[in-house]
Amino acid sequence: MSDEKMADADVQKYDSDINVTNLSSTIITSTANNSSISKFVEDDLNTDKESSIYDAPYSILSRRQKVMIVITISISGFFSPFSTNIYFPALSLIQNDLHVTEKMVSLTITMYMITQGLSPSFWGSLADNWGRRPILITTFLIYTLACIGLANTKDYASLLSLRMLQAFGSSSAVAVGAGIIGDISTPAERGGYMGVFSMGTMLGPLLGPVLGGLVSNELGWRWIFWILAILVVPIWLVQIVFLPETLRSLVGNGSGYANPSLLQFFKRRYMSKKGNQNDDESHTTAFTYSKKNKSDESFHSFSNAAEVCSDDNRTCIKTPIDTINDTNKSLNELHMLSTIAKRKIEKHRFLVIPNPLQSLGFLREKDIAILLLYNSLQYAGLYCVLTSLTDLFTEIYGLNAFQIGLCFLSNGFGAALGSFTSGKILNWRFRKIATSLNIDNVHTKRGNMDSEFPVEKARMGVTWIWGVAFNVALIVYGWCLHFKVHIAVPIVINCLLSYFSTSTFNATNTLLVDLFPNNSAAIVASNNLTRCLLGAVSVMIVQSGVQGIGVGWFFTTVSLILFVSRVTMIIELKYGPKWRMERLQRQAAALEDSDKA
C-alpha cells in the first residue's frame, strides 16, 4: 500500500473513531514554545472569540465575492458551447474554402462534441486534487492558442485536430465551475448559484450562431476564431489576477492560502514587508483542514475544548473535551491523528496522478445513472431542435445566415430566464422542505446535510412539470414547421423549449453536487460526458430523421421517447433516497475495513 493510501486509511480510521463527520478539527502550526501555546489556548477559551473559531462559516467569502466568482466561472463556461455553435452558419463557407464534403465538415462538429464530453473527466479529476485555479488557467491558455491556430489553418486536417484541441481546453470550465460552486455555497443557496452558472453554459450554443453568422458574412469564417481569441483573453486575465483558489482540501473555507491569485500574492507580499506576516507566523496560523472524500463542512460551537499537541509542540489539534471523553480516545491516538493530518496536507498534490475514469465510476451508482440518463436525453432532445433550426428555417422561411442567427436569440432569452428562475425555485423548495421538517436556518447554512433530508425531492420534485411541458411544446413545434405557420410561433416555442430544458439541467447539476460535494468537479464531468455523447448522436440522426419521416413526425417521435424517459424520475424520487443511504452504508463499511486493515 502506498504512503498516500496508508495516510488516507489512517485519517479515515481516526476520523470515524472520534466522530469528525460533524466537526472540523483545527490544526494549529506554531513556532512558539509549550508555554506560549498554553497561553494562547487559555486566552482563547476565556474570550468571546472562542465561538468564532468553532462557528466558522462554510465560506468566509462575502455574498458579493461569491457572486463575482460565479459570474467569472459562468463566463468561462460560456466559451465551450459557444465555440461549438459559432461556426454553424459558416459550414458551407468552410466546405467551399477547404474543398471538402458536407460530411467532413459535420465531422468537425461531432468530434468537437465528443472531445468536449470526454475532456472534463480528465480535468475534473485533476481539479479535485491539484486545485481549481491551475486547471482553469492552463486549459484556457490551451484554448486561446487553439483559436489562434484555427484562425490560420489552411487545410482540413489542421481544422479537425485544432477543433479537438479547442474543445479539450475550453471544456474544463464545465466541471471546474460546478466544483467551485460546491466549494463556496451551502445546499440552501447552491441552487441559485448553479442557475447563474448554467446561464453561461446555455447562452453559448444560443448566441454562437448570431455572432457566427454576422462575422462569417462580413469578415470570413477564419475571423470567427480571431474573435474567440480576442474575447477569451480578458476572462483568462481575470482568472489569473482575481479568481481565488476554492478547493476545500487546500484552503478550507477560504481562510487557507494555496494557488494564490496575483492579487492575493501581492497582497500577502505587501503585508509581509510591513511586518504583519512575520507577526502572524511567530504566533499561530490557523486553518481548517478539510478532509478529502469525506464531509468536513460542519462547524459547531463548543463550550469546552482541549488542545492536544505533538511531542515537538509544533502541530496541535483543538477538539471538544466531551468528544474525547465520550469516545475514550487516548492522547497517543490524537497525536497520531495530528501527525497523519499534517503529513497528508503537506504531501505534494501535483504528484497525484489524475484518474480520468473516475467520472465513469459514478455510473455504477443506480441513482446517479438514472439522473444522468434523464438529463442526457433531455439535452439530446434540445440539441435536435438547435442543430436542425438552421436548415429548417432556411428551407421553410427562406432566411439567410444572419437572420437565422437572430432566431437563436429567442432560445437565449429562454435559457437565461430558465437559469435564473429555476435557481430561485430550487432555493425556495429547499427552504420550504427544511421548514416542514423543523430544520432551522442555522442548520440549513451548514455545508453538509443530514442523510435523512429528502434532497432528491427538494431538487427534482418539480422537474416532471418542466419535462411534460417540454414534450407538449416539442410536438407543437414540429407540426408548426410541418404546416409552415407564421415564423413567430416556432420562435416563441423555441424560447419555451430552452426555458424548460435549462431548468431541468440546473436542477440535475445541483443535485449531483449535493450528492458528491467533495467530488463536485468529477461528478459534473460525468454528466457532461453522457449528455455530450447523446448530443453528438442527435446531431448525426436529426437530418436523416427529418428527411425520412418528416419534421412533424420526427419531433413527435423524439417527444414520445422523452415522455417514456420521465418514468426514470418517478423511480429516482421513490428509490433515490434508499440508494443514497445504501451508498453511505457502503462507505461506512469501507471505513471499518480500513480500520481492521
Side-chain angles (χ1 to χ4, degrees):
M1 185 179 295
S2 65
D3 293 340
E4 180 188 2
K5 293 182 177 179
M6 292 178 63
D8 285 341
D10 290 337
V11 170
Q12 290 174 344
K13 171 180 181 295
Y14 288 103
D15 279 353
S16 60
D17 285 342
I18 67 170
N19 192 26
V20 294
T21 301
N22 293 321
L23 63 94
S24 284
S25 296
T26 304
I27 302 176
I28 302 172
T29 305
S30 174
T31 58
N33 55 31
N34 193 22
S35 60
S36 299
I37 294 177
S38 301
K39 185 178 185 302
F40 171 82
V41 175
E42 182 179 358
D43 292 341
D44 180 67
L45 293 175
N46 290 329
T47 62
D48 293 335
K49 294 181 180 180
E50 175 194 2
S51 60
S52 66
I53 295 177
Y54 297 109
D55 288 332
Y58 181 77
S59 174
I60 65 170
L61 299 173
S62 66
R63 177 175 176 81
R64 180 180 179 182
Q65 289 173 315
K66 291 181 181 180
V67 170
M68 296 306 297
I69 290 174
V70 172
I71 291 176
T72 300
I73 61 175
S74 179
I75 296 175
S76 301
F78 168 85
F79 279 95
S80 182
F82 182 66
S83 303
T84 309
N85 297 269
I86 191 172
Y87 86 153
F88 278 178
L91 293 180
S92 59
L93 297 177
I94 297 174
Q95 178 182 343
N96 295 330
D97 188 34
L98 298 182
H99 307 290
V100 294
T101 65
E102 181 180 354
K103 289 186 177 180
M104 294 176 69
V105 177
S106 298
L107 181 62
T108 63
I109 301 175
T110 302
M111 294 307 299
Y112 184 98
M113 294 190 66
I114 292 176
T115 307
Q116 184 186 48
L118 295 175
S119 299
S121 300
F122 177 81
W123 297 125
S125 177
L126 286 179
D128 284 337
N129 289 281
W130 292 8
R132 315 303 191 192
R133 274 180 50 79
I135 303 304
L136 271 181
I137 293 172
T138 302
T139 54
F140 269 71
L141 175 61
I142 294 173
Y143 173 80
T144 304
L145 295 177
C147 289
I148 296 174
L150 284 165
N152 292 279
T153 186
K154 301 295 183 182
D155 56 77
Y156 175 77
S158 299
L159 176 69
L160 180 62
S161 58
L162 287 174
R163 280 288 285 174
M164 294 175 66
L165 182 64
Q166 187 185 41
F168 184 68
S170 64
S171 60
S172 67
V174 176
V176 177
I180 290 175
I181 291 177
D183 295 334
I184 66 176
S185 62
T186 64
E189 61 184 352
R190 191 167 292 153
Y193 289 134
M194 286 298 294
V196 176
F197 174 63
S198 63
M199 187 183 302
T201 59
M202 287 307 302
L203 286 178
L206 305 176
L207 297 181
V210 179
L211 184 60
L214 178 62
V215 173
S216 60
N217 282 339
E218 299 297 329
L219 301 175
W221 67 269
R222 287 183 176 83
W223 262 97
I224 289 176
F225 300 106
W226 282 120
I227 295 296
L228 288 175
I230 294 171
L231 291 176
V232 78
V233 168
I235 193 65
W236 183 57
L237 294 177
V238 170
Q239 293 171 1
I240 295 174
V241 177
F242 299 106
L243 186 66
E245 178 60 62
T246 63
L247 183 62
R248 298 188 69 85
S249 60
L250 295 181
V251 298
N253 65 353
S255 57
Y257 184 81
N259 297 335
S261 65
L262 280 182
L263 185 64
Q264 291 174 317
F265 173 79
F266 285 115
K267 182 178 179 180
R268 187 180 180 92
R269 185 176 179 181
Y270 173 79
M271 293 180 65
S272 178
K273 290 182 178 179
K274 293 294 184 179
N276 294 335
Q277 185 64 31
N278 291 333
D279 291 340
D280 290 341
E281 291 179 354
S282 66
H283 291 86
T284 305
T285 302
F287 65 96
T288 302
Y289 167 57
S290 298
K291 184 173 68 62
K292 189 178 169 195
N293 295 326
K294 191 176 180 68
S295 179
D296 63 333
E297 295 86 5
S298 178
F299 296 85
H300 296 277
S301 176
F302 299 97
S303 58
N304 295 304
E307 185 178 63
V308 182
C309 300
S310 58
D311 293 336
D312 59 1
N313 292 323
R314 295 180 64 85
T315 303
C316 306
I317 289 181
K318 272 193 173 181
T319 191
I321 292 176
D322 293 339
T323 302
I324 299 174
N325 294 335
D326 291 341
T327 55
N328 296 318
K329 289 298 167 185
S330 67
L331 294 181
N332 288 334
E333 289 177 317
L334 292 173
H335 290 165
M336 185 178 296
L337 174 60
S338 68
T339 303
I340 293 171
K342 183 181 178 184
R343 181 179 61 184
K344 185 174 180 63
I345 292 172
E346 292 178 348
K347 183 175 179 61
H348 205 293
R349 60 187 180 278
F350 293 109
L351 296 179
V352 177
I353 300 176
N355 179 17
L357 300 179
Q358 182 182 7
S359 297
L360 296 177
F362 292 114
L363 295 175
R364 294 178 297 181
E365 303 292 341
K366 293 185 285 291
D367 55 339
I368 300 301
I370 286 178
L371 282 173
L372 297 186
L373 175 63
Y374 183 88
N375 193 69
S376 299
L377 287 173
Q378 180 68 45
Y379 187 83
L382 179 63
Y383 243 74
C384 285
V385 175
L386 297 179
T387 56
S388 64
L389 188 147
T390 300
D391 291 338
L392 291 174
F393 277 45
T394 300
E395 177 184 349
I396 297 173
Y397 299 107
L399 304 183
N400 59 36
F402 179 66
Q403 291 171 328
I404 291 294
L406 294 178
C407 291
F408 280 92
L409 291 177
S410 66
N411 300 85
F413 178 77
L417 187 62
S419 298
F420 179 78
T421 58
S422 63
K424 297 293 184 180
I425 292 172
L426 292 177
N427 285 349
W428 169 75
R429 280 187 57 80
F430 189 95
R431 292 192 299 267
K432 181 180 179 181
I433 293 176
T435 302
S436 66
L437 297 175
N438 296 322
I439 301 176
D440 57 31
N441 291 332
V442 175
H443 286 82
T444 60
K445 294 180 180 179
R446 287 165 46 184
N448 64 318
M449 296 176 295
D450 190 279
S451 59
E452 299 294 333
F453 185 86
V455 63
E456 293 84 1
K457 180 180 178 181
R459 303 308 191 194
M460 308 300 291
V462 296
T463 53
W464 67 270
I465 300 176
W466 297 324
V468 173
F470 182 90
N471 294 136
V472 174
L474 187 60
I475 294 175
V476 175
Y477 174 76
W479 289 106
C480 284
L481 294 178
H482 176 80
F483 291 110
K484 301 180 180 180
V485 301
H486 192 277
I487 191 173
V489 178
I491 287 178
V492 171
I493 296 176
N494 262 335
C495 177
L496 296 176
L497 291 173
S498 295
Y499 174 85
F500 298 136
S501 296
T502 305
S503 300
T504 300
F505 302 151
N506 187 27
T508 305
N509 281 332
T510 304
L511 178 58
L512 291 173
V513 175
D514 287 337
L515 295 176
F516 291 90
N518 294 322
N519 297 102
S520 49
I523 187 64
V524 173
S526 67
N527 179 37
N528 188 72
L529 170 64
T530 55
R531 75 175 191 173
C532 283
L533 291 179
L534 284 183
V537 172
S538 69
V539 171
M540 292 186 291
I541 68 173
V542 63
Q543 184 178 9
S544 58
V546 170
Q547 293 175 350
I549 62 177
V551 61
W553 283 113
F554 175 77
F555 284 113
T556 299
T557 303
V558 173
S559 179
L560 292 176
I561 294 173
L562 291 177
F563 183 77
V564 173
S565 73
R566 308 303 180 198
V567 177
T568 60
M569 193 46 52
I570 299 176
I571 298 174
E572 171 66 22
L573 293 175
K574 183 175 182 180
Y575 296 104
K578 175 185 175 182
W579 292 332
R580 174 165 51 86
M581 294 300 296
E582 290 176 351
R583 179 167 57 248
L584 294 175
Q585 291 174 359
R586 291 197 307 270
Q587 292 172 351
L591 288 177
E592 293 181 1
D593 292 341
S594 64
D595 187 9
K596 295 177 182 179

